[in-house]
Amino acid sequence: IISMICCFLGFKLLYPHADFSNDSYNYIGIAAMNDNVSVRPVGYSKFLRLVSVFSTSDAVTTGVQYFLLELSAFYLFISLIFWFRMPKVMAVFLFVFLIVNPATLYMANYISADGVFSALSLMWITNLFWILIRPGKWDLWISLGLLFLILWFRYNALYYPFVATFVYIISPYGYKRKILSVAGGFIVSALVFLLVTNAFEKKLHISTFSPFGGWQLANNALQMYAYKTGAHTPMPTVETQKVELIARKYFDTIPQSMKYPPLIATDYMWNESGPLKLYWYQYIKEHNMKDSIKAWYAIGSTLAEYGQTLIKKYPMDFFNHFIKPNSKGFINPPLEAFTTYNLGMDSAKPDGKVWFDYKVNKVTSVFRNYQETLLRPFASVFGICNILLLCFAPWGIIKSLKSKLPLAFRKIIIGAYVFLLANFLFSIVSAPVVFRYQYFPLLLSFSLSLVMVNAAILSFRYKKSSNGIDR
């Protein structure tokens, strides 16, 4: 508690105002209207609205986010300390990384779903670890409740029910309890799907779950367009043919240097002159739509179909020009929004000023241009931890098969590895890898790496000691 208060107050002296991006204003706008549909999941907007009932101060909002992140990290910390014998020095090192971590302060200060999503996810995975080792009476219901909340904050969690299913199956639960657990996870997911789809249907008369997913899929597919042109790709519908025609014209007219972007990004869906935005404008004009946002939602399914068609036609090209370069992001995830404070601007937009009741829209910070330097090592640590865990995997498998590791340790390792593998596969396929999406996996992978290193040291000492006794 003392470390939390000192860190947060010290940080607020350096960054008196919250950190904003374009996504921030989207969340704030939905919160202000109390809308149930949005480009992104509405969970974070509801969170902002809930906090605003008690205070309109951005310090309170970021403080709550920081408290949730610290609470979840401490939950993981005390759980690991309880389960595993760990030297004091290593335990202090783990505490410092999980609790006294400047990256957590930047995550909490950012008006985005990422901080709360990371906190809820960390609570969820730690709760699953308890279910693996010693499930309590309420652990299953806590797990399902957290899953329900998480799915409202980010659809990145769509693979969570499958991870939970694996955990429930290998848990100490009885046969009936396992069936209930697995069914519960998918019932919760189905409930969120139906609620979101119904909200779109009710307001916009569009049957969809995530129109943003369609835009994202088309953007991903276009990453390979210049390498393997889709000029001769037959499209299944009239609308997807229109998208293809615009994309072909776009790539025929842009400079050669723009055809082969060095990094996987979302430029094709956000740039005003990009092919997907051009199709959006054309759709609005052809259908004489006055509501451009409704049109944005409406074409999501068309863009999803377009992206799927390209990927099915050129799977190897998609692998070589999207999945492979995107997987390299795990070695050193781009900081993206965290490169500079407030996107390098010295003011907040009107929506932010009104929502947080600023007297003036000017925002200030002491280290505006230095946060990239501070956060860059944390992105590198994520890559190092992934490589370290990959190297430790054979050792863990061999020791587990020989039953030379404690049962609790084996279960935690298996559950964590399954989650991190699922996160890796989902991340490299679904969207560009960026640091803020991987912050929760960073905390988990670092903790797991430390546990593995500690186990290897203890194993080596035990073997050495045993050899000495034999001699």
Side-chain angles (χ1 to χ4, degrees), residues 83 124-136 139 163-173 178 407-419:
W83 292 323
W124 174 79
I125 195 68
T126 307
N127 178 258
L128 285 184
F129 290 159
W130 277 103
I131 289 175
L132 275 175
I133 297 176
R134 194 176 69 184
D139 282 339
V163 175
T165 295
F166 176 81
V167 169
Y168 296 146
I169 290 173
I170 66 172
S171 72
Y173 280 148
K178 287 181 180 181
L407 180 61
F409 182 87
R410 277 181 280 162
K411 285 189 173 184
I412 293 296
I413 294 303
I414 290 172
Y417 265 91
V418 167
F419 173 82

Side-chain angles (χ1 to χ4, degrees), residues 325-362:
N326 200 28
S327 62
K328 294 178 181 178
F330 265 74
I331 304 301
N332 195 9
L335 293 179
E336 189 220 16
F338 288 148
T339 304
T340 56
Y341 171 74
N342 199 41
L343 298 180
M345 299 183 293
D346 62 356
S347 60
K349 292 183 179 179
D351 285 352
K353 177 180 178 294
V354 172
W355 184 260
F356 290 115
D357 200 22
Y358 292 156
K359 294 182 179 179
V360 294
N361 65 344
K362 188 175 181 63

Side-chain angles (χ1 to χ4, degrees), residues 312-461:
K312 288 177 182 178
K313 179 68 176 178
Y314 307 113
M316 288 308 300
D317 291 281
F318 182 70
F319 176 81
N320 290 327
H321 302 300
F322 181 81
I323 294 179
K324 188 186 292 185
N326 200 28
S327 62
K328 294 178 181 178
F330 265 74
I331 304 301
N332 195 9
L335 293 179
E336 189 220 16
F338 288 148
T339 304
T340 56
Y341 171 74
N342 199 41
L343 298 180
M345 299 183 293
D346 62 356
S347 60
K349 292 183 179 179
D351 285 352
K353 177 180 178 294
V354 172
W355 184 260
F356 290 115
D357 200 22
Y358 292 156
K359 294 182 179 179
V360 294
N361 65 344
K362 188 175 181 63
V363 294
T364 58
S365 66
V366 175
F367 295 119
R368 178 183 299 273
N369 299 319
Y370 295 100
Q371 69 181 56
E372 181 178 11
T373 304
L374 179 65
L375 294 176
R376 177 58 62 193
F378 288 96
S380 302
V381 166
F382 183 56
I384 295 170
C385 289
N386 280 300
I387 294 173
L388 193 62
L389 290 174
L390 189 63
C391 295
F392 266 114
W395 175 84
I397 293 172
I398 293 172
K399 288 289 185 179
S400 296
L401 291 175
K402 293 182 178 181
S403 299
K404 291 188 175 182
L405 294 174
L407 180 61
F409 182 87
R410 277 181 280 162
K411 285 189 173 184
I412 293 296
I413 294 303
I414 290 172
Y417 265 91
V418 167
F419 173 82
L420 291 172
L421 178 61
N423 174 68
F424 170 75
L425 295 175
F426 183 85
S427 298
I428 64 173
V429 171
S430 62
V433 174
V434 294
F435 178 73
R436 60 192 176 98
Y437 292 169
Q438 301 303 326
Y439 189 64
F440 149 57
L442 164 63
L443 298 179
L444 179 62
S445 60
F446 181 88
S447 303
L448 183 62
S449 298
L450 209 59
V451 168
M452 293 289 279
V453 168
N454 181 54
I457 293 173
L458 291 176
S459 178
F460 175 76
R461 287 178 177 175

Side-chain angles (χ1 to χ4, degrees), residues 213-229:
W215 281 77
Q216 184 72 68
L217 185 61
N219 172 85
N220 298 348
L222 288 174
Q223 299 285 338
M224 66 176 178
Y225 199 100
Y227 299 93
K228 189 73 172 182
T229 178

Side-chain angles (χ1 to χ4, degrees), residues 249-310:
K249 183 178 179 180
Y250 172 82
F251 281 96
D252 285 343
T253 55
I254 61 174
Q256 192 73 7
S257 59
M258 292 178 60
K259 290 185 178 181
Y260 309 98
L263 296 173
I264 300 299
T266 55
D267 294 347
Y268 296 121
M269 61 189 293
W270 295 126
N271 282 358
E272 292 298 318
S273 59
L276 303 186
K277 279 288 188 74
L278 292 177
Y279 171 69
W280 179 36
Y281 299 144
Q282 178 177 299
Y283 184 89
I284 293 172
K285 186 176 181 180
E286 288 180 350
H287 292 78
N288 195 27
M289 296 186 69
K290 296 180 179 180
D291 189 344
S292 61
I293 300 300
K294 183 177 179 179
W296 197 96
Y297 293 135
I299 65 175
S301 56
T302 298
L303 296 181
E305 188 176 20
Y306 173 73
Q308 290 169 359
T309 304
L310 280 181

Side-chain angles (χ1 to χ4, degrees), residues 106-149:
Y106 283 99
M107 284 290 295
N109 200 49
Y110 184 43
I111 302 301
S112 172
D114 303 303
V116 182
F117 175 78
S118 296
L120 293 173
S121 295
L122 200 54
M123 292 179 190
W124 174 79
I125 195 68
T126 307
N127 178 258
L128 285 184
F129 290 159
W130 277 103
I131 289 175
L132 275 175
I133 297 176
R134 194 176 69 184
K137 181 179 180 181
W138 298 102
D139 282 339
L140 173 60
W141 306 111
I142 292 172
S143 173
L144 296 177
L146 286 171
L147 179 62
F148 181 80
L149 292 175

